[in-house]
Amino acid sequence: MNMFEFDDGREMGQGRAPEWDAARRTLAHATPPDAVEQALLRAFAKHHAPRPWYRRWSADALASWVGIGALGCALAIVGMSLLSGGAPSARIVPVMAAADDGFVALVPPERMAAAVDPQLKQADLPRAALVQMGIPIVANVPDELVHTEMMVAATGEPLAIRLAVN
Amino acid sequence: MNESDDIQLLRAIRQGDAAAFQSLYRRHRSGLYSFALLHSGAPDVAADVVQEVFMGLLGDSYGFDPLKGMLANFLYGVARNLVLGHARRNSRWVQPTGADDEDDAFDQVDTAAGPLARLLDDEAAEHLRRALAALAPHYRDVLILFELQEKSYQEIAEICQLEIGTVRSRLARGRAALAKALAPYRDLAKDIA
């Protein structure tokens, strides 16, 4: 044994005092009064009682639900924008098809392809009419004339149109 | 007592299982009550201490961490602090009392023993209580945990937040002081015999 450690007395022949054995026998079945257990069980029931719905809406719960709602809205907006981007409107399709040369088709592609000897004609058209044809132009002054170039079939049917560069 | 059973009961308690709470209480109530009773000498204080220990466990206000030690030792540590708190607030329980005002402190007896044996045990236990009350609380802690609860040095060090060397030294000094405090009662018993 380390010289700085102390013996508990047993090694020095002190042994356990007989009073300890008597206390152990006396206290072998010692328990707190039943009222203690009953009080604890009541406290347990109160501690774990289900809360009414309006108490469950704590600030934390509310914050998390608001967060979930905001995320849902953002996802919905993104989804809608993707859907609208994936299925362009009827007005935008011709613009995109003729975007290479600036022409907006006014007839289906098969009629465009079947047209014989088309000709390019100059024409001044009102802004409102151009908007109706799908030309991306501001119609704040509907009656103002805008200089355009039109592709016309031999039959006189307009096939496509574009804004002319003056 | 199996520590893993205690941990399983604790998990069930946190999920709202009242039966688990009752089982855990019944597993530990006797040891904690005996410790507090012998330490304070007052049954009402001992009952309060046991109730406070489990109330704290229920509210998780003591922050038990299973990785830092056994639940039983943790509960003894809490009980020790509560008993010492009671003693500080009311110093009559740390002073030796010659009065017979708490003769019912040890009225829990082993019913299997005969009447005379029970009487003698009660008397010896009462002498022990009075002798312990004459000791400083830090000797009482170690003595009760070692002699009555049969805790190891390591466990006592954990419960009382002491070094093992300090536990050994307090135990040796406490036993010597207890023998001195018990001497008058033993002499009286010899005279009567």
Side-chain angles (χ1 to χ4, degrees):
Chain A
M1 180 183 289
N2 188 311
M3 64 179 295
F4 296 107
E5 289 183 353
F6 289 79
D7 189 89
D8 66 11
R10 289 192 186 149
E11 290 82 349
M12 294 165 65
Q14 274 186 268
R16 173 178 285 146
E19 287 83 356
W20 285 111
D21 294 328
R24 191 174 294 112
R25 285 191 295 270
T26 302
L27 295 171
H29 302 286
T31 54
D34 291 343
V36 172
E37 182 172 332
Q38 289 161 10
L40 286 169
L41 289 176
R42 275 197 304 274
F44 186 91
K46 190 175 176 183
H47 189 76
H48 288 92
R51 290 182 300 167
W53 65 270
Y54 53 85
R55 292 253 176 103
R56 288 198 291 268
W57 284 91
S58 65
D60 289 345
L62 201 59
S64 60
W65 278 110
V66 167
I68 291 168
L71 182 63
C73 287
L75 287 174
I77 291 168
V78 169
M80 287 174 70
S81 65
L82 286 176
L83 282 174
S84 61
S89 69
R91 286 178 64 180
I92 294 173
V93 170
V95 176
M96 293 172 68
D100 289 346
D101 50 14
F103 277 98
V104 174
L106 299 175
V107 295
E110 56 274 19
R111 278 173 62 186
M112 180 88 74
V116 179
D117 194 19
Q119 295 177 0
L120 196 62
K121 302 281 186 182
Q122 307 284 324
D124 291 330
L125 297 174
R127 281 179 178 270
L130 291 174
V131 168
Q132 284 181 353
M133 291 177 192
I135 305 293
I137 191 171
V138 177
N140 52 351
V141 186
D143 297 332
E144 184 184 14
L145 296 177
V146 176
H147 190 61
T148 63
E149 291 178 334
M150 296 183 73
M151 196 180 298
V152 182
T155 58
E157 180 186 27
L159 301 174
I161 186 170
R162 71 178 178 187
L163 298 176
V165 179
N166 293 323
Chain B
M1 248 174 230
N2 191 338
E3 176 66 7
S4 65
D5 290 345
D6 277 350
I7 301 302
Q8 284 178 357
L9 287 173
L10 264 186
R11 282 195 192 124
I13 287 168
R14 285 173 182 160
Q15 290 169 356
D17 187 341
F21 183 66
Q22 192 173 30
S23 296
L24 192 74
Y25 169 73
R26 290 185 175 178
R27 280 167 74 101
H28 296 287
R29 65 177 173 178
S30 181
L32 292 169
Y33 182 70
S34 300
F35 170 76
L37 181 59
L38 206 52
H39 205 301
S40 67
D44 55 341
V45 172
D48 283 351
V49 164
V50 174
Q51 185 165 332
E52 283 185 63
V53 167
F54 282 93
M55 282 290 190
L57 192 66
L58 179 59
D60 208 15
S61 55
Y62 301 128
F64 170 65
D65 182 355
L67 298 176
K68 291 183 179 173
M70 293 170 61
L71 178 67
N73 293 340
F74 174 80
L75 296 178
Y76 275 104
V78 174
R80 170 184 175 265
N81 291 336
L82 291 171
V83 170
L84 292 176
H86 276 284
R88 276 193 293 273
R89 286 191 294 275
N90 190 346
S91 60
R92 75 188 172 100
W93 287 307
V94 296
Q95 300 299 328
T97 58
D100 293 333
D101 58 344
E102 288 170 357
D103 279 348
D104 60 345
F106 296 99
D107 58 356
Q108 303 284 341
V109 295
D110 183 355
T111 52
L116 180 61
R118 288 205 304 269
L119 189 68
L120 293 173
D121 279 351
D122 283 351
E123 189 179 58
E126 179 60 18
H127 292 166
L128 178 66
R129 184 193 68 78
R130 290 184 185 178
L132 281 170
L135 304 185
H138 59 276
Y139 290 144
R140 225 180 300 162
D141 293 335
V142 177
L143 278 171
I144 297 171
L145 290 170
F146 187 80
E147 301 286 15
L148 187 74
Q149 309 294 341
E150 299 186 318
K151 298 286 184 187
S152 67
Y153 291 150
Q154 180 64 47
E155 287 175 314
I156 296 171
E158 189 181 319
I159 291 167
C160 300
Q161 302 288 298
L162 297 170
E163 297 293 327
I164 286 185
T166 308
V167 173
R168 285 176 185 274
S169 67
R170 286 190 182 179
L171 193 55
R173 289 174 181 151
R175 286 168 70 93
L178 182 67
K180 196 180 287 184
L182 279 170
Y185 301 109
R186 288 173 177 169
D187 292 344
L188 186 65
K190 279 180 191 170
D191 291 344
I192 293 171

